[in-house]
């Protein structure tokens, strides 16, 4: 489903950021110095259909960058990524909503961004509102919702869009117990349907309970891979 | 637990996904339009009132205080402002909206040109409403109607591609060079004065005309005036259209190429 071969992602960290013309003109003879920062180093990964893969690691270890590469939001500096299906944009806090628009408008915009048609979104609209539990807030601005509510909304839309691959970035942290249960139920459903999930979490219990395989990232490289229990142990011992 | 309707139409959705760019563009344009006038009392009316207020001010200064000796000056001025405002709005707004969409661009992979086209559609709606208002003024001032007024359609198409071409060029560069926004703001101001919008072309010494009409906007504005309000002139002619269309085509193609080249790194630069 997803094949990643020898992927490197290098971010250039300028020592002195020059983004305005003046800075460029003034320093025109001065060489622009920067460090090469390897966010991902030689990643090889193969995710099969229907597999649940969990990614863990410390902050800054490249987890989100890897998800962004899978979502083709970021292009790898070198290496190849091939994805054999539609990928739902990955889900995380503030998924890419417009803060100044209403919940309703955001559902339609987000649905359209996920590649749905008006008909499809309209058909699923009530379900989304219902699942996210936002019946009272349909006409509220998104910025006035709590972060938990925003994640619930994002999750509900992502659940309903029928992409075979789902990328999830740390969403369990903000939902309340009821919603977490809903998420778990949905995850079980995905499994039954043969959808593929790659998800990043700091919640090690979730990783152990749901994943078929776990990957531990350390400074951009895979430092352990295999059965979730072993990988989590490797992480907690490091 | 709630049943999940995706079970049955799972296959159906996958095949149709990602082809709904037209719908996405429309939804984005509507959301932009709603957001723009959201917290204001007059709401959508502002898109009509704004050019009228600008027109009123300029009309007061240049028709009451200073006097140009132009027949139907009001109509000339209004049409010029409306057309120029469209160019200014499309080019400036597209950069603002690109910035506003940073949170989406960083997370979702969709063709970035949709942001620019959506923003241009919002301005296009305003343009059409403004043209309606212009024709109301036109009817009240009652100059004779010429069939050449139908040429306006062609001018609007030329104007659209010209504006979107510039917008694509600017947006392509914007994430790496933020100052292009300020630079362009100044340029729009400058353009407003070197284009015969508020003054009649007759006050400009003949020797500068060639330079003034190298500017395709001067031709669009002067040409549509001659076509609708009269008196007829050579700016409605073939050579004028060829010139406008070739400049618009070059800008549009250059804009598109540069945009496609630079937009893959938007997620990192914005």
């Amino acid at each position: 489903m997803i094949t990643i071969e020898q992927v490197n992602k290098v971010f250039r960290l300028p020592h002195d950021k020059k983004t305005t013309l003046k800075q460029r003109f003034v320093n025109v003879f001065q060489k622009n110095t920067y460090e090469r920062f390897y966010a991902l180093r030689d990643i090889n990964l193969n995710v099969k259909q229907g597999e649940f893969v969990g990614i863990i690691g410390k902050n800054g270890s490249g987890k989100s960058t890897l998800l962004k590469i899978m979502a083709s939001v970021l292009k790898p500096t070198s290496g190849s990524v091939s994805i054999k299906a539609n990928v739902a944009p990955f889900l995380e806090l503030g998924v890419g909503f417009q803060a100044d628009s209403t919940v309703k408008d955001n559902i339609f915009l987000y649905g359209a961004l996920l590649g749905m048609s008006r008909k499809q979104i309209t058909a699923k609209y009530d379900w989304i509102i219902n699942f996210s539990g936002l019946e009272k807030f349909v006409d509220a601005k998104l910025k006035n919702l709590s972060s938990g509510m925003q994640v619930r909304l994002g999750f509900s839309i992502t659940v309903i869009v029928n992409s075979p691959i789902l990328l999830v970035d740390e969403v369990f942290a903000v939902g309340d117990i009821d919603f977490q249960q809903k998420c778990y139920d949905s995850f079980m459903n995905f499994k039954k349907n043969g959808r593929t999930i790659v998800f990043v979490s700091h919640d090690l219990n979730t990783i152990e309970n749901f994943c078929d395989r776990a990957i531990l990232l350390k400074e951009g490289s895979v430092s352990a891979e295999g059965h979730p229990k072993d990988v989590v142990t490797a992480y907690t011992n490091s | 637990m709630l049943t999940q309707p995706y079970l049955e139409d799972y296959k159906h959705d996958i095949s149709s996904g990602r082809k709904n760019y037209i719908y996405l563009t429309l939804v984005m344009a509507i959301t932009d339009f709603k957001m723009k006038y959201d917290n204001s009392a007059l709401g959508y009316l502002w898109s009509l009132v704004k050019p009228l207020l600008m027109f009123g001010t300029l009309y007061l200064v240049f028709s009451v205080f200073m006097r140009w000796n132009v027949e139907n000056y009001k109509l000339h001025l209004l049409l010029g402002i409306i057309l120029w405002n469209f160019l200014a709005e499309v080019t400036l707004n597209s950069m603002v909206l690109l910035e506003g969409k940073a949170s989406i661009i960083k997370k979702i992979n969709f063709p970035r040109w949709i942001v620019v086209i959506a923003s241009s559609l919002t301005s296009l709606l305003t343009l059409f409403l403004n043209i309606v208002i212009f024709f109301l003024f036109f009817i009240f001032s009652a100059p004779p109607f010429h069939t050449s007024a139908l040429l306006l359609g062609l001018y609007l198409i030329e104007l659209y591609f010209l504006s979107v071409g510039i917008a694509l060029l600017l947006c392509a560069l914007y994430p790496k060079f933020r100052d292009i926004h300020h630079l362009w703001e100044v340029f729009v101001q400058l353009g407003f004065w070197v284009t015969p919008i508020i003054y009649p072309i007759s006050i400009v010494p003949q020797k500068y005309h060639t330079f003034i009409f190298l500017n395709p906007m001067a031709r669009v504005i002067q040409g549509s005036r001659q076509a609708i309000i009269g008196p007829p002139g050579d700016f409605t002619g073939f050579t004028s259209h060829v010139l406008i269309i070739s400049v618009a085509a070059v800008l549009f193609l250059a804009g598109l190429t540069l945009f496609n080249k630079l937009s893959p790194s938007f997620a990192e630069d914005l």
Side-chain angles (χ1 to χ4, degrees):
Chain A
M1 220 56 178
I2 306 176
T3 313
I4 291 179
E5 278 169 351
Q6 305 246 293
V7 160
N8 285 298
K9 180 68 194 175
V10 181
F11 288 117
R12 303 196 333 177
L13 299 181
H15 287 135
D16 175 21
K17 201 169 185 193
K18 300 184 192 73
T19 42
T20 65
L21 268 184
K22 185 192 157 228
Q23 284 167 327
R24 279 189 191 251
F25 273 125
V26 172
N27 299 304
V28 74
F29 297 113
Q30 205 179 322
K31 220 175 167 203
N32 225 336
T33 57
Y34 56 86
E35 268 172 58
R36 289 163 70 81
F37 173 78
Y38 276 80
L40 292 175
R41 205 189 285 265
D42 266 338
I43 302 279
N44 290 295
L45 184 65
N46 202 339
V47 182
K48 290 189 278 291
Q49 170 162 10
E51 207 180 8
F52 272 39
V53 177
I55 302 174
I56 50 177
K58 296 206 170 92
N59 293 139
S61 58
K63 303 184 297 289
S64 299
T65 308
L66 185 55
L67 277 196
K68 284 189 183 183
I69 294 233
M70 289 183 192
S72 12
V73 173
L74 291 182
K75 296 251 172 313
T77 311
S78 65
S80 75
V81 179
S82 95
I83 291 158
K84 297 227 164 53
N86 225 336
V87 184
F90 70 109
L91 181 66
E92 63 169 340
L93 229 63
V95 275
F97 287 131
Q98 295 270 287
D100 282 315
S101 288
T102 63
V103 169
K104 189 177 176 179
D105 288 346
N106 266 300
I107 291 178
F108 277 87
L109 178 62
Y110 197 55
L113 280 166
L114 302 194
M116 291 161 89
S117 69
R118 189 187 155 74
K119 231 170 87 191
Q120 287 167 338
I121 305 170
T122 316
K124 288 160 183 179
Y125 179 77
D126 289 332
W127 189 90
I128 293 169
I129 293 289
N130 208 330
F131 191 76
S132 56
L134 294 173
E135 292 89 344
K136 282 187 198 157
F137 302 96
V138 174
D139 292 316
K141 295 262 172 59
L142 210 82
K143 60 184 173 193
N144 297 330
L145 298 188
S146 73
S147 55
M149 287 173 178
Q150 294 192 19
V151 168
R152 267 152 56 187
L153 184 61
F155 190 80
S156 309
I157 304 175
T158 317
V159 163
I160 207 80
V161 72
N162 298 309
S163 61
I165 302 174
L166 208 61
L167 308 171
V168 182
D169 194 355
E170 196 64 78
V171 284
F172 296 106
V174 285
D176 54 23
I177 293 200
D178 291 349
F179 193 75
Q180 278 185 13
Q181 191 55 49
K182 277 190 189 177
C183 293
Y184 292 144
D185 291 343
S186 309
F187 271 32
M188 293 326 276
N189 248 321
F190 294 162
K191 244 184 177 157
K192 258 189 264 161
N193 285 315
R195 282 170 116 186
T196 311
I197 295 198
V198 179
F199 85 108
V200 164
S201 184
H202 287 292
D203 181 0
L204 301 176
N205 283 327
T206 319
I207 300 273
E208 284 191 27
N209 291 337
F210 281 100
C211 294
D212 304 316
R213 188 152 56 111
I215 290 161
L216 173 62
L217 285 184
K218 198 178 171 193
E219 288 163 12
S221 317
V222 176
S223 87
E225 182 179 357
H227 194 271
K229 272 225 163 60
D230 305 336
V231 176
V232 168
T233 319
Y235 178 48
T236 39
N237 290 342
S238 69
Chain B
M1 208 201 99
L2 287 155
T3 51
Q4 301 190 353
Y6 62 78
L7 286 168
E8 61 269 23
D9 51 11
Y10 184 59
K11 285 271 146 57
H12 169 71
D13 264 26
I14 301 167
S15 58
S16 66
R18 293 269 159 235
K19 283 171 199 156
N20 296 312
Y21 292 152
I22 297 173
Y23 176 61
L24 174 57
T25 313
L26 283 178
V27 176
M28 204 174 261
I30 292 167
T31 329
D32 288 345
F33 191 74
K34 277 187 182 167
M35 270 195 301
K36 192 169 161 196
Y37 300 108
D38 199 48
N39 285 322
S40 57
L42 281 181
Y44 305 150
L45 276 179
W46 272 118
S47 56
L48 304 178
V49 173
K50 237 166 55 188
L52 281 181
L53 285 178
M54 193 174 161
F55 162 72
T57 316
L58 291 172
Y59 183 67
L60 186 75
V61 175
F62 291 103
S63 194
V64 182
F65 302 161
M66 292 167 71
R67 285 173 182 278
W68 306 124
N69 190 18
V70 183
E71 210 184 342
N72 290 315
Y73 175 68
K74 251 201 322 267
L75 294 177
H76 279 257
L77 179 64
L78 186 57
L79 189 61
I81 290 175
I82 289 173
L83 296 179
W84 182 262
N85 266 9
F86 177 77
L87 178 97
E89 208 183 289
V90 169
T91 49
L92 288 170
N93 267 358
S94 54
M95 282 182 278
V96 175
L97 285 169
L98 195 68
E99 178 82 61
K101 298 266 179 307
S103 65
I104 296 179
I105 289 172
K106 278 173 194 288
K107 283 174 191 151
I108 302 177
N109 176 33
F110 64 98
R112 304 331 190 182
W113 51 261
I114 288 182
V115 176
V116 180
I117 303 299
S119 118
S120 76
L121 289 185
T122 315
S123 308
L124 200 61
L125 179 68
T126 316
L127 175 69
F128 284 139
L129 293 173
N130 282 325
I131 295 279
V132 170
I133 291 186
F134 168 77
F135 276 104
L136 290 180
F137 271 80
F138 183 83
I139 293 166
F140 281 114
S141 350
F145 183 83
H146 309 282
T147 44
S148 62
L150 296 173
L151 270 177
L152 179 66
L154 181 57
Y155 283 113
L156 292 185
I157 294 170
E158 290 164 355
L159 174 66
Y160 181 79
F161 279 96
L162 190 66
S163 310
V164 172
I166 298 172
L168 283 169
L169 271 176
L170 294 170
C171 283
L173 297 171
Y174 177 72
K176 277 219 162 71
F177 295 96
R178 299 297 166 108
D179 10 17
I180 204 151
H181 186 252
H182 302 291
L183 212 65
W184 185 251
E185 253 172 359
V186 176
F187 202 82
V188 164
Q189 272 302 316
L190 182 75
F192 182 80
W193 294 101
V194 299
T195 308
I197 297 173
I198 58 161
Y199 53 86
I201 188 64
S202 53
I203 67 157
V204 181
Q206 192 69 40
K207 59 180 176 181
Y208 297 122
H209 281 204
T210 332
F211 294 107
I212 284 201
F213 288 106
L214 278 179
N215 167 9
M217 273 311 279
R219 283 177 185 267
V220 168
I221 290 174
Q222 203 59 22
S224 44
R225 280 169 173 166
Q226 289 179 345
I228 303 171
I229 311 163
D234 33 318
F235 286 111
T236 51
F238 184 70
T239 37
S240 206
H241 285 293
V242 168
L243 200 136
I244 300 168
I245 290 171
S246 36
V247 174
V250 166
L251 280 173
F252 188 82
L253 289 177
L256 206 62
T257 316
L258 196 68
F259 194 86
N260 282 336
K261 197 161 179 265
L262 296 178
S263 63
S265 63
F266 278 6
E268 284 166 58
D269 294 325
L270 269 174

